Amino acid sequence: MAAPPMTGPRFNEWIQSPKVRVIDENGENLGVMYTREAIAQAAEVGLDLVEVSPNADPPVAKFLDVGKYKYEAQKKANAARKSQKTQEIKEIKVRPNIDDHDYDTKMKKIIEFIGEGDKVKVTLRFRGREMSHGQLGMALLQRVQADTAEVAKVEAYPRMEGKQMLMVLAPK
């Protein structure tokens, strides 16, 4: 007997329970039978006995081609992984004395990023004398928060970090 399969379902002689509920290659229930007997019947048809539901009582086994079954399962897992969307953090940089048109352009980008399901980190950079006017920066970030209220929630409220003020927005 060869080494047991490390990945995937148990099949043929590696099925440990003495009795299994058997389903044939056409999807018909053949009832509960001894595992050895079921393996013999599967071999007659030229297929393997594959355990598809090991936690049932008794376990459910099907007449299948093991290689094909594993290939299909792997294909399904790859498709699921491919369709998954990872959430990224996009950064938008602004200055305290930003003009209205520039602000509108930045807001369009923020709303676009949130619409794609990404988080947005708004970085407000202070230079020189602007440092003494922290309230202007706070007012600007509160304006951003108000303008994105219907599409985003604030994940990290505005806070100072050195010469910049940060805020993180996440999709609702």
Side-chain angles (χ1 to χ4, degrees):
M1 190 155 68
M6 290 317 224
T7 58
R10 291 191 289 250
F11 60 94
N12 293 345
E13 58 271 5
W14 291 290
I15 297 175
Q16 286 152 355
S17 56
K19 287 186 174 183
V20 288
R21 180 173 306 278
V22 180
I23 296 168
D24 71 4
E25 69 276 11
N26 303 322
E28 291 179 34
N29 191 343
L30 302 180
V32 178
M33 59 175 72
Y34 287 104
T35 306
R36 259 189 251 117
E37 195 179 306
I39 292 170
Q41 279 189 18
E44 281 175 29
V45 197
L47 295 169
D48 303 298
L49 185 70
V50 181
E51 198 173 41
V52 288
S53 180
N55 299 332
D57 188 34
V60 178
K62 259 186 176 178
F63 292 175
L64 296 168
D65 179 0
V66 166
K68 190 175 181 183
Y69 181 73
K70 282 185 179 179
Y71 173 73
E72 293 294 335
Q74 186 180 9
K75 223 167 125 179
K76 200 181 290 181
N78 285 346
R81 196 175 319 116
K82 195 175 181 182
S83 66
Q84 235 173 25
K85 169 83 172 95
T86 56
Q87 196 174 48
E88 295 178 36
I89 296 184
K90 305 281 188 172
E91 186 175 18
I92 295 284
K93 293 183 179 181
V94 292
R95 296 282 309 281
N97 54 353
I98 190 169
D99 202 37
D100 286 340
H101 182 265
D102 297 336
Y103 175 82
D104 293 340
T105 306
K106 300 277 187 186
M107 286 308 300
K108 280 182 192 164
K109 283 311 269 184
I110 289 174
I111 290 170
E112 179 188 321
F113 290 149
I114 288 173
E116 291 170 3
D118 295 324
K119 292 182 183 181
V120 179
K121 177 175 159 185
V122 183
T123 305
L124 181 68
R125 189 106 192 209
F126 292 101
R127 291 171 66 187
R129 284 192 205 142
E130 293 171 349
M131 287 295 293
S132 60
H133 298 288
Q135 75 279 3
L136 291 176
M138 189 57 91
L140 180 66
L141 289 180
Q142 285 171 345
R143 181 177 165 197
V144 169
Q145 183 180 341
D147 290 349
T148 58
E150 64 268 4
V151 291
K153 62 180 184 279
V154 178
E155 195 170 84
Y157 286 92
R159 67 183 188 281
M160 280 300 286
E161 258 184 33
K163 290 185 176 185
Q164 50 193 19
M165 197 177 274
L166 303 173
M167 176 172 74
V168 179
L169 300 170
K172 273 192 175 171

